[in-house]
Amino acid sequence: MKTITTATVLLLGAARALTQQGFTDAFPAEEFMGRRARVMAQIGDGVAVLQGATERRGESPLRQSNQFFYLTGVTEPRAFLIIDGRAKASTLFLIPASLGRQRAIGPYLDVDEESRKLVGIEAIAPRDGFTGAVIALAAENRTVFTPLRPEALSSESSSDVVAFMQATKEDPWDGHVGRDELFLAKLRAIIRDSELKDLDPILDTLRAVKSSREIAVIREATRLAGAGIMEAMRDAEPGMYEYELQAAAEYVYKRGGAFGESYFPLIASGRNMAYTHYHKSRTRLRAGDLVQFDWAPDLHNYTSDVTRIFPADGKFTSRQREYYTIYLRLYQALMTSIRVHATAREIMDRAYLKMQAVLHEFRFTDPKIRETAEAFASRYRPNREGPANPRLSLGHSVGMEVHDVRDPTPTLEPGYVFTIEPQMTMEGGEMSARLEDMILITESGYENLSAFVPVEIADIEHLMAQPGLGRHVLAVPKKD
């Protein structure tokens, strides 16, 4: 296996930080122009209306909402966008500098020709003109498209936000309405005689297939995620807390230009590994423990999702070797079954046959491990009853959100990016294992974007014998 160091990975990708004052430097303006043009083709004579995110309530930078960023690349607060399908033109509404906006943060967009050219949009207008523009559209009785689900920001996926807002509304001690619902209510009040349609399905279909530029950013985010995990492996030793491993990876992410995190760190040791979303990170690593590391950066508004397992003291015990090895071989049976143009069910059927061969040939010494492995493989048995969307059995899509919009097609087509994340847990939670890789579907098959992160026992132990970041910096005194 080719050795990839943290320094190597950081040099592979440009360490450009997401420009938070105005317009992203991750993509050129024509990327967003092309996206808006595809929306125009879908809405016909109609118009699309969107609002952007607000500034944060505290001392933290703005991270634009995903649907608005996807169409504009604009990182200004409280912006509006109108895409006119009939005129084949878009207008961006911004707070102008003349209103005394704070300049302490540095350059930002203004309502001027320079900003219009930078964004690559047909018109930029003052924000206070948005209401009049909507009233003018209402007079034409044209169909208006707008997102109907709540906005998703950093470390959020749309499904999580929808569930949160529903729980908030139903809470008798809360019950507040989100800004998205208020926006919809005001919009409906103005365009009451016009048809209002959901823009989300159109944008989700476009977002499901990644462009070459998007793939490049996701690839870079995955390189950083993998390098962070590898640095945590090098740093790990008994006596550390789970959160200390987070520090090594976070250094890698920030050096690589990450704006934030794709999701909270899922760093679990020992029996904590049985919990799929354990994130307390307060347990101390013990000799003989396994560690499961699942965390990735938010880079240029795009995410990644990679998971690896390693021993806290750098060496697998004989029982851990047996458990991890059979899981890895079953995992690889699933990985090698992925095919372009195939359905999830076809992939699972192929994987099941391979898994049966693996189980037949594997030399088990522990009956509980055999029972656990057989139960794991049975989940892929042909014709078993499954969820309404069988794609979920393979994992989830990844893009601007870690649980990104779903591919509407029943088959895996080129440009789709997703993870597989099957978990094998022993009854009672005594042992557990979950790996996760980033899969890019290509014309000829697929590419594992995270393949450089070691999974074989010999490679993991070799990597963990190398010095980590924590041995090169002044340690922070601990209070036992």
Side-chain angles (χ1 to χ4, degrees):
M1 169 181 177
K2 183 178 179 181
T3 301
I4 297 184
T5 66
T6 300
T8 302
V9 174
L10 292 178
L11 288 173
L12 284 174
R16 299 176 304 166
L18 178 65
T19 301
Q20 288 302 312
Q21 300 90 17
F23 182 68
T24 179
D25 62 358
F27 302 107
E30 54 261 31
E31 178 81 8
F32 301 101
M33 294 167 65
R35 295 172 184 179
R36 293 193 295 270
R38 288 191 288 274
V39 169
M40 292 175 191
Q42 293 290 318
I43 65 176
D45 190 58
V47 292
V49 181
L50 300 90
Q51 70 168 344
T54 67
E55 65 278 8
R56 301 301 88 192
R57 299 199 316 185
E59 299 293 331
S60 56
L62 180 148
R63 200 275 201 182
Q64 187 59 269
S65 56
N66 288 330
Q67 300 290 52
F68 196 89
F69 181 89
Y70 183 79
L71 291 175
T72 66
V74 169
T75 55
E76 292 286 352
R78 302 185 185 273
F80 291 113
L81 176 69
I82 293 179
I83 300 176
D84 191 326
R86 178 191 297 169
K88 305 300 181 190
S90 302
T91 303
L92 178 67
F93 295 84
L94 298 175
I95 301 173
S98 59
L99 296 184
R101 296 176 58 203
Q102 184 184 28
R103 302 191 68 93
I105 62 172
Y108 51 82
L109 295 179
D110 200 357
V111 182
D112 56 25
E113 183 64 11
E114 181 181 357
S115 295
R116 188 195 69 77
K117 289 181 178 179
L118 176 66
V119 175
I121 202 162
E122 286 74 22
I124 291 184
R127 186 179 187 270
D128 60 9
F130 176 72
T131 301
V134 175
I135 292 173
L137 290 173
E140 299 176 356
N141 284 335
R142 296 161 66 189
T143 302
V144 176
F145 293 79
T146 193
L148 296 186
R149 66 172 181 247
E151 64 183 4
L153 304 173
S154 180
S155 303
E156 296 178 348
S157 296
S158 295
S159 57
D160 300 324
V161 180
V162 169
F164 170 80
M165 292 307 301
Q166 185 64 32
T168 298
K169 289 173 62 176
E170 295 174 354
D171 185 346
W173 288 92
D174 194 335
H176 81 268
V177 176
R179 65 186 299 263
D180 305 277
E181 287 197 51
L182 291 174
F183 176 77
L184 283 173
K186 291 179 179 296
L187 187 61
R188 284 192 173 103
I190 296 175
I191 63 161
R192 55 184 179 274
D193 295 327
S194 301
E195 183 180 12
L196 184 68
K197 287 189 175 181
D198 190 1
L199 182 64
D200 286 321
I202 293 175
L203 295 181
D204 291 354
T205 299
L206 296 178
R207 284 175 53 185
V209 179
K210 274 58 179 181
S211 70
S212 59
R213 293 188 181 105
E214 288 179 293
I215 291 169
V217 173
I218 293 172
R219 186 188 301 279
E220 186 177 343
T222 301
R223 282 200 294 264
L224 292 177
I229 292 174
M230 293 164 69
E231 210 50 68
M233 287 183 181
R234 294 186 182 99
D235 249 19
E237 60 183 14
M240 295 178 69
Y241 285 94
E242 293 162 336
Y243 61 76
E244 292 182 77
L245 297 179
Q246 173 186 341
E250 189 165 9
Y251 172 81
V252 174
Y253 299 166
K254 291 297 185 181
R255 273 301 292 270
F259 174 63
E261 56 187 14
S262 296
Y263 49 95
F264 46 43
L266 306 178
I267 305 171
S269 62
R271 284 183 172 266
N272 294 335
M273 292 172 63
Y275 303 103
T276 56
H277 273 203
Y278 168 84
H279 58 276
K280 295 181 179 179
S281 298
R282 310 306 295 181
T283 300
R284 191 169 236 165
L285 275 59
R286 302 174 303 172
D289 276 350
L290 288 180
V291 180
Q292 184 171 275
F293 195 103
D294 179 358
W295 195 34
D298 173 1
L299 185 70
H300 306 315
N301 281 59
Y302 284 79
T303 65
S304 183
D305 196 359
V306 183
T307 303
R308 289 296 186 265
I309 295 168
F310 51 91
D313 52 9
K315 293 289 183 180
F316 287 81
T317 67
S318 58
R319 191 161 186 255
Q320 289 171 350
R321 283 175 176 270
E322 182 172 340
Y323 190 88
Y324 178 79
T325 300
I326 184 57
Y327 169 78
L328 177 61
R329 299 297 171 249
L330 295 173
Y331 179 85
Q332 290 168 335
L334 178 58
M335 285 282 287
T336 58
S337 298
I338 297 171
R339 297 287 187 276
V340 64
H341 309 310
T343 65
R345 184 67 264 166
E346 290 169 344
I347 293 169
M348 293 168 65
D349 289 351
R350 183 188 296 267
Y352 180 76
L353 295 177
K354 293 182 179 181
M355 288 179 180
Q356 294 310 302
V358 169
L359 292 171
H360 178 74
E361 296 171 3
F362 193 81
R363 294 185 179 181
F364 289 97
T365 64
D366 188 318
K368 289 188 69 176
I369 294 178
R370 176 192 289 273
E371 178 183 343
T372 304
E374 290 175 344
F376 172 83
S378 70
R379 287 155 45 185
Y380 297 87
R381 185 175 61 248
N383 300 322
R384 75 173 181 87
E385 294 183 2
N389 183 351
R391 179 71 56 76
L392 295 178
S393 298
L394 294 178
H396 59 82
S397 56
V398 183
M400 299 186 74
E401 301 161 28
V402 70
H403 296 101
D404 205 34
V405 297
R406 298 177 184 174
D407 186 350
T409 64
T411 56
L412 297 176
E413 298 302 322
Y416 185 65
V417 179
F418 71 105
T419 72
I420 65 169
E421 51 175 357
Q423 180 157 340
M424 187 176 86
T425 302
M426 187 175 285
E427 185 70 28
E430 179 186 356
M431 300 185 78
S432 186
R434 175 168 56 82
L435 295 174
E436 194 166 11
D437 280 292
M438 289 282 289
I439 307 300
L440 166 64
I441 298 299
T442 65
E443 294 288 348
S444 58
Y446 76 89
E447 178 186 354
N448 180 359
L449 301 179
S450 48
F452 68 93
V453 192
V455 293
E456 296 291 347
I457 287 177
D459 295 328
I460 293 171
E461 292 182 344
H462 176 73
L463 179 67
M464 295 187 70
Q466 301 172 10
L469 287 172
R471 303 179 199 182
H472 297 293
V473 298
L474 180 65
V476 177
K478 299 178 187 176
K479 181 183 291 185
D480 292 329

